[in-house]
């Protein structure tokens, strides 16, 4: 079954009281703060209830909110040995004040406004990692980590499931897998699909066992003729992989899709992320298998970077650098890349890993020699991305505002029918004389510490305000700095700090330096969808995604503005086209089609 | 609104002071129609007329706000019905394509406004005042945008101007009174 070092013990020391139902107090990190916070929340709840009794008015939505406060306090992430699956908002709230001072009176109706129109969300509750994305018998399948019990990550994580013909319109299906075996009773976690050459599908996923050990498990479609892959059968011999000797029982998860390394010997390989000490190094290990049941751990590591901690959700895939032949337009299959099957041009491999420690994604480029990465991979900021052609089918209209020049310290409202679901294309140019006249400006600028779009420099910030109304706005902007040597550095930032009047949410300024070549205009594409703002600057060289929760900039009050908050330069929007986006109208599950 | 945005932009990061506070601990103050309407700048007469014709038992700010919201909703509902009747009707002679477009747009906006005002009433009933304010403000924005869209049409003949103004004023009244709580 599994191939393990014989020195590895079969059973693992059970963890203390990790599975008590309703126990959300775990985590020694939190133990110190929680009792006070819980007491305060409970106290304010009692006060509220007392007030309600006095005033005689029904307050269902209020008590609902307060209860949520209590449950929002701690996700079980670190407890179960996985990254914290929250935004950190509960910390901001509990840390900043005791009880409900900071709490915004959210109600279900308000939260309903925030639901996206053309981005996928489950009908309710918590979702995280996408799982096993696969195209099978004419349907695109999206599985995802889903908590059936509530709006935070939990200990009964299941696989949600939805299908689409076009990656835009989705149909919800029943849960594909739930935690119902000893080996995944604490969570059916992330995994990947592999389509075999004969069309069969093998799904590998991580189970968190009854003792919270991370193991890999195999599942196959119960009915391979069902194109909707509604039901799944877990392999009776699960788990197929236990953590190897050198790897901790909670550092072994998220298997990748497998690839044929050498079709002649019918051997598949796949990668699993982990970490090792000393040096707190993140690593990627490779397994070899012929049948997805028996595995052999390859010696060494595929990649390793010290100080980065646990690598989650590894992706490993090839890209082709040529402009014709297989893969040039549509991406390339890993097996084809390795066997150079029809490939014209150089093949480069991309490894993406999600760092548990800082919850950012990192990409590295390198070359794959049989069994290991060859050249020294180097981290890259982003890869260009976006299923543009599909998303563009949702465009309902186009309003062209190109050619507007906006003076410094100005805003310009864009008149749109509705500004909650948008696809905006913009290209900006700074007044070149002004740029030349400045000697030096803002060399030390940094998006995250800048304080956002309110802080003015000579040559920035300028860009767009979206989901904007009165005090609420999300700013997407460029900020140009000029060195003493005359060289320009362009920063691209997204400012959430004023995105909502509510204070019990995380609001940051994110961004970084974006490469701009001589002669290029500053371009950005922004997708707006109720509570999501996604931006792609310079064709994707720098990207930002924000979740924002406006309380006033909603419905017809959500506006878009062009703004220039620089002190010394005019800005021209050479291109400014705004498309309103239709909703994807995802369908609820129906027992019969 | 533009100046507000500019101020917001030019402001150094200041702590958001606009977070809605937790519900007040004291029960609601009593208001007569006249007292409440004094707070609706410039709309006193319309306010008194509207609130007096509503439920006679309303004597708190939320109760009176609810009357105003319902009045706005009824108005909006009638206008929505009016719009769907003239859209297909050839009553309006020589309707240009642009006028047709603005009427269609306003039809959509008014239907949205009716929904939002209905939800605003529910919100007041459950004590969710911030929510009701946001909803009333949103429906007011729909009406404003309807007006703006039609004003741009050369031959709009003010077909909706009076109706738009009335719903707009009723929304302002509702907002002013909701804030009194």
């Amino acid at each position: 079954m599994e191939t393990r070092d014989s020195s590895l013990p079969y059973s693992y020391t059970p963890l203390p009281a990790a599975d008590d139902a309703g126990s959300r107090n775990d985590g020694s990190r939190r133990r110190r703060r929680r009792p006070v916070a819980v007491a305060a929340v409970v106290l304010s709840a009692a006060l509220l209830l007392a007030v309600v009794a006095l005033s005689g008015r029904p307050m269902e939505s209020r008590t609902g909110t307060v209860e949520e406060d209590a449950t929002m306090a701690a996700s079980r992430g670190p407890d179960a040995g996985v990254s914290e699956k929250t935004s950190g908002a509960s910390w901001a709230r509990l840390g900043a004040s005791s009880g409900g001072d900071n709490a915004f009176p959210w109600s279900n109706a308000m939260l309903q406004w925030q639901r996206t129109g053309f981005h996928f969300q489950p009908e309710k509750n918590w979702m995280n990692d996408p799982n096993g994305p696969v195209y099978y018998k004419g349907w695109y399948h999206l599985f995802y980590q889903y908590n059936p019990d509530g709006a935070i990550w939990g200990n009964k994580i299941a696989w949600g499931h939805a299908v689409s013909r076009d990656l835009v319109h989705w149909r919800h299906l029943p849960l594909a897998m739930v935690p119902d075996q000893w080996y995944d009773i604490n969570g059916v976690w992330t995994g990947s699909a592999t389509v075999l050459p004969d069309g069969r599908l093998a799904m590998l996923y991580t189970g968190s066992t009854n003792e919270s050990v991370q193991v890999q498990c195999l599942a196959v479609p119960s009915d391979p003729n069902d194109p909707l892959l509604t039901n799944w059968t877990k392999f009776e011999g699960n788990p197929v992989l236990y953590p190897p000797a050198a790897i901790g029982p909670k550092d072994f998860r998220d298997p990748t899709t497998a690839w044929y390394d050498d079709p002649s010997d019918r051997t598949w390989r796949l990668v699993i992320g982990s970490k090792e000490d000393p040096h707190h190094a993140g690593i990627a290990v490779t397994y070899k298998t012929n049948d997805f049941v028996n595995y052999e751990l390859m010696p060494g590591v595929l990649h390793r970077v010290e100080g980065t901690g646990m690598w989650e959700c590894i992706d490993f895939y090839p890209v082709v650098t040529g402009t014709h032949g297989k893969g040039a337009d549509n991406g390339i299959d890993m097996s084809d890349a390795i066997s150079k099957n029809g490939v014209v041009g150089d093949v480069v491999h991309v490894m993406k890993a999600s760092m548990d420690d800082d919850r950012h994604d990192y990409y590295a480029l390198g070359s794959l020699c049989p069994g290991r990465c060859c050249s020294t991979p180097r981290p890259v900021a982003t890869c260009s991305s976006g299923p543009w052609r599909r998303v563009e089918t949702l465009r309902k209209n186009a309003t062209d505002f190109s050619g507007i020049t906006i003076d410094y310290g100005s805003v310009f409202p864009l008149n749109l029918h509705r500004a909650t679901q948008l696809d905006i294309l913009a290209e900006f140019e700074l007044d070149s004389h002004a740029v030349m006249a400045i000697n030096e400006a803002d060399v030390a600028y940094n998006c995250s510490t800048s304080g956002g779009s309110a802080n003015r420099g000579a040559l920035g910030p300028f860009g767009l305000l979206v989901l904007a109304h009165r005090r609420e706005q999300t700013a997407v902007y460029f900020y140009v700095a000029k060195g003493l040597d005359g060289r320009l550095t362009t920063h691209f930032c997204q400012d959430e700090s004023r995105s909502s009047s509510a204070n019990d949410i995380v609001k940051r300024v994110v961004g970084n330096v974006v490469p701009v070549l001589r002669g290029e205009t500053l371009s950005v594409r922004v997708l707006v969808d109720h509570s999501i703002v996604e931006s792609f600057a310079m064709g994707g060289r720098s990207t930002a995604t924000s979740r924002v929760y406006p309380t006033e900039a909603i419905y017809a009050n959500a506006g878009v503005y062009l703004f220039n908050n620089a002190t010394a330069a005019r800005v021209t929007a050479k291109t400014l086209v705004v498309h309103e986006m239709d909703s994807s109208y995802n369908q609820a599950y129906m027992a019969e089609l | 609104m533009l100046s507000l945005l500019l101020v917001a932009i030019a402001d150094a990061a200041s702590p958001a002071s606009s977070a809605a506070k937790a519900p007040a601990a004291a029960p609601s103050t009593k208001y007569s129609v006249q007292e409440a309407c004094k707070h609706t700048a410039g709309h006193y007469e319309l306010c008194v007329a509207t609130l007096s014709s509503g439920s006679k038992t309303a004597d708190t700010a939320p109760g009176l706000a609810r009357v105003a919201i319902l009045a706005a909703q009824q108005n909006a509902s009638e206008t929505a019905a009016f719009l769907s009747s003239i859209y297909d009707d050839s009553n309006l002679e020589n309707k240009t394509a642009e006028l047709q477009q603005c009427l269609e747009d306003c039809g959509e906006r008014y239907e949205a406004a009716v929904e939002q005002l209905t939800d605003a009433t529910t919100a007041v009933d459950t004590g969710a005042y911030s929510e009701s304010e946001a909803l009333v403000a949103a429906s007011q924005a729909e009406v404003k945008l309807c007006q703006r869209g039609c004003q741009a049409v050369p031959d709009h003949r003010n077909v909706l101007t009076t109706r738009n103004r009335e719903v707009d004023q009723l929304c302002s009244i509702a907002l002013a009174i909701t804030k009194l709580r």
Side-chain angles (χ1 to χ4, degrees):
Chain A
M1 196 83 57
E2 71 288 344
T3 314
R4 301 176 290 121
D5 208 321
S6 57
S7 60
L8 190 68
Y10 229 107
S11 86
Y12 301 84
T13 328
L15 295 166
D19 313 336
D20 295 347
S23 130
R24 294 181 179 89
N25 294 358
D26 303 309
S28 53
R29 252 200 313 163
R30 291 195 181 76
R31 230 157 248 162
R32 268 167 290 136
R33 286 205 229 179
R34 273 220 31 105
V36 173
V38 169
V41 168
V42 166
L43 189 60
S44 64
L47 249 174
L48 258 168
L49 288 171
V51 167
V52 168
L54 281 172
S55 61
R57 205 177 300 122
M59 297 276 272
E60 290 135 352
S61 57
R62 286 300 161 72
T63 41
T65 307
V66 171
E67 268 179 61
E68 274 174 36
D69 281 0
T71 58
M72 283 294 282
S75 107
R76 292 188 76 259
D79 227 34
V82 297
S83 66
E84 182 58 62
K85 304 274 190 276
T86 70
S87 65
S90 55
W91 286 121
R93 197 158 18 128
L94 294 177
S97 65
S98 60
D101 281 7
N102 250 0
F104 190 83
W106 298 107
S107 62
N108 277 343
M110 278 177 160
L111 296 174
Q112 190 66 22
W113 304 332
Q114 318 293 6
R115 281 187 69 87
T116 56
F118 59 97
H119 286 76
F120 179 84
Q121 284 182 287
E123 293 167 286
K124 60 175 186 173
N125 289 359
W126 171 273
M127 166 175 71
N128 59 292
D129 302 356
N131 298 148
V134 64
Y135 182 75
Y136 185 82
K137 292 199 191 302
W139 291 85
Y140 292 97
H141 290 262
L142 172 68
F143 303 91
Y144 52 94
Q145 296 283 280
Y146 176 71
N147 183 5
D149 290 342
I152 55 169
W153 194 83
N155 58 356
K156 284 284 166 218
I157 291 289
W159 273 35
H161 187 191
V163 292
S164 171
R165 295 293 254 170
D166 60 1
L167 288 174
V168 171
H169 303 90
W170 294 89
R171 180 185 307 224
H172 297 289
L173 292 181
L175 300 179
M177 290 193 284
V178 297
D180 58 5
Q181 304 297 318
W182 70 266
Y183 51 77
D184 62 19
I185 196 71
N186 273 320
V188 180
W189 289 351
T190 290
S192 304
T194 304
V195 179
L196 308 183
D198 61 7
R200 284 183 301 154
L201 220 167
M203 190 77 82
L204 276 177
Y205 69 94
T206 300
S208 183
T209 69
N210 59 340
E211 289 168 2
S212 293
V213 174
Q214 293 167 12
V215 296
Q216 313 313 322
C217 312
L218 173 65
V220 294
S222 305
D223 176 8
N225 290 321
D226 170 18
L228 298 188
L229 297 176
T230 316
N231 297 301
W232 289 79
T233 302
K234 297 177 184 175
F235 177 57
E236 66 206 358
N238 275 336
V240 294
L241 262 181
Y242 287 82
I247 280 178
K250 289 179 167 187
D251 299 328
F252 187 60
R253 55 186 179 271
D254 313 334
T256 65
T257 298
W259 70 91
Y260 252 169
D261 201 42
D262 180 358
S264 69
D265 76 351
R266 295 166 48 82
T267 306
W268 296 84
R269 284 171 210 264
L270 58 99
V271 175
I272 300 184
S274 186
K275 69 170 167 31
E276 67 181 12
D277 288 315
H279 305 303
H280 195 53
I283 59 173
V285 298
T286 312
Y287 279 88
K288 201 163 85 162
T289 183
N290 285 336
D291 56 7
F292 289 86
V293 172
N294 298 288
Y295 295 83
E296 183 189 328
L297 176 63
M298 304 300 297
V301 294
L302 190 62
H303 188 29
R304 180 177 186 278
V305 181
E306 290 186 359
T308 54
M310 176 69 187
W311 288 1
E312 299 186 309
C313 292
I314 289 187
D315 278 335
F316 187 55
Y317 55 92
V319 292
V320 161
T321 56
T323 51
H324 42 274
K326 231 182 205 179
D329 285 331
N330 294 324
I332 186 175
D333 185 79
M334 185 75 147
S335 308
D336 286 344
I338 287 169
S339 57
K340 298 282 191 208
N341 184 9
V343 173
V344 177
D346 288 329
V347 172
V348 161
H349 281 85
V350 181
M351 176 173 291
K352 164 259 178 192
S354 300
M355 304 286 123
D356 190 2
D357 287 356
D358 69 5
R359 284 181 300 290
H360 283 69
D361 291 347
Y362 293 87
Y363 294 79
L365 297 177
S367 298
L368 179 66
C369 300
R372 56 170 53 81
C373 266
C374 280
S375 36
T376 309
R378 65 192 184 281
V380 295
T382 63
C383 289
S384 291
S385 57
W388 294 129
R389 262 167 281 152
R390 311 271 192 169
V391 166
E392 286 169 14
T393 59
L394 289 176
R395 289 174 168 175
K396 287 205 284 196
N397 55 31
T399 316
D400 194 337
F401 301 94
S402 303
I404 295 176
T405 295
I406 175 160
D407 212 345
Y408 31 93
S410 305
V411 282
F412 184 91
L414 304 184
N415 286 347
L416 298 165
H417 180 91
R418 218 165 277 293
T420 47
Q421 293 177 202
L422 301 173
D423 181 5
I424 306 175
L425 297 153
E427 277 180 299
F428 297 103
E429 250 176 359
L430 273 170
D431 173 9
S432 51
H433 297 297
V435 174
M436 282 197 291
I438 307 278
N439 277 331
E440 185 203 354
D442 306 306
V443 176
Y445 191 81
N446 178 312
C447 292
S448 325
T449 57
S450 65
S453 56
N455 283 333
R456 314 181 65 183
L459 304 175
F462 58 89
L464 295 161
L465 303 175
V466 299
L467 295 173
H469 179 66
R470 298 192 178 197
R471 285 170 302 232
E472 290 185 340
Q473 61 185 230
T474 300
V476 179
Y477 66 89
F478 291 98
Y479 195 107
V480 177
K482 187 173 179 185
L484 272 172
D485 60 357
R487 278 184 42 175
L488 300 176
T489 306
T490 308
H491 300 261
F492 174 69
C493 320
Q494 195 150 287
D495 177 6
E496 307 164 359
S497 61
R498 263 172 293 277
S499 58
S500 173
S501 316
N503 280 329
D504 53 353
I505 51 183
V506 170
K507 297 182 278 188
R508 301 168 290 200
V509 185
V510 298
N512 53 23
V513 172
V514 60
V516 178
L517 305 177
R518 193 189 314 275
E520 288 186 323
T521 52
L522 301 180
S523 67
V524 65
R525 180 168 189 164
V526 186
L527 291 180
V528 178
D529 191 359
H530 295 268
S531 57
I532 291 185
V533 179
E534 278 169 300
S535 306
F536 303 82
M538 305 308 295
R541 287 177 207 158
S542 183
T543 67
T545 300
S546 295
R547 293 305 304 278
V548 294
Y549 305 97
T551 64
E552 294 165 5
I554 58 169
Y555 292 125
N557 270 330
V560 182
Y561 298 79
L562 193 50
F563 83 97
N564 177 7
N565 212 20
T567 57
R570 290 197 175 78
V571 171
T572 302
K574 252 183 79 174
T575 304
L576 184 51
V577 177
V578 182
H579 302 274
E580 289 172 42
M581 298 292 273
D582 204 353
S583 298
S584 55
Y585 301 111
N586 293 336
Q587 293 174 285
Y589 169 60
M590 289 183 300
E592 284 125 28
L593 282 176
Chain B
M1 164 131 84
L2 281 189
S3 54
L4 259 171
L5 267 174
L6 265 178
V7 166
I9 294 175
D11 222 13
S14 56
S17 54
S18 56
K21 299 212 187 307
S28 288
T29 328
K30 299 277 189 218
Y31 283 95
S32 70
V33 166
Q34 288 77 8
E35 281 162 6
C37 287
K38 284 201 187 113
H39 291 90
T40 62
H43 305 303
Y44 183 80
E45 267 129 26
L46 175 61
C47 175
V48 170
T50 307
L51 296 188
S52 304
S53 65
S55 146
K56 301 285 188 274
T57 61
D59 62 353
T60 61
L64 291 167
R66 192 184 195 281
V67 176
I69 296 173
L70 268 178
Q73 190 239 31
Q74 253 161 316
N75 239 288
S77 203
E78 280 160 20
T79 305
F82 167 69
L83 281 166
S84 42
S85 74
I86 62 172
Y87 184 73
D88 294 320
D89 205 350
S90 44
N91 260 354
L92 268 154
E93 286 171 14
N94 300 324
K95 251 186 289 173
T96 62
E98 289 153 313
L99 182 59
Q100 184 84 334
Q101 181 61 54
C102 105
L103 293 177
E104 191 181 316
D105 184 57
C106 285
E108 263 182 59
R109 292 197 181 278
Y110 264 93
E111 279 178 28
V114 170
E115 262 185 61
Q116 286 152 21
L117 288 166
T118 311
D119 290 344
T121 323
T122 316
V124 169
D125 289 343
T126 57
Y129 302 123
S130 299
E131 182 181 330
S132 80
E133 274 183 56
L135 285 163
V136 173
S139 49
Q140 197 175 27
E142 298 280 5
V143 170
K144 280 198 166 77
L145 289 173
C146 155
Q147 178 66 18
R148 188 185 71 191
C150 285
Q151 252 171 311
V153 173
D155 193 28
H156 66 93
R157 285 176 263 175
N158 283 316
V159 59
L160 290 174
T161 304
T162 314
R163 292 170 180 271
N164 288 344
R165 190 186 308 129
E166 189 149 330
V167 177
D168 180 43
Q169 288 173 338
L170 288 168
C171 287
S172 295
I173 290 168
L175 283 170
I177 298 183
T178 313
K179 290 195 205 307
L180 287 179
R181 64 185 183 267

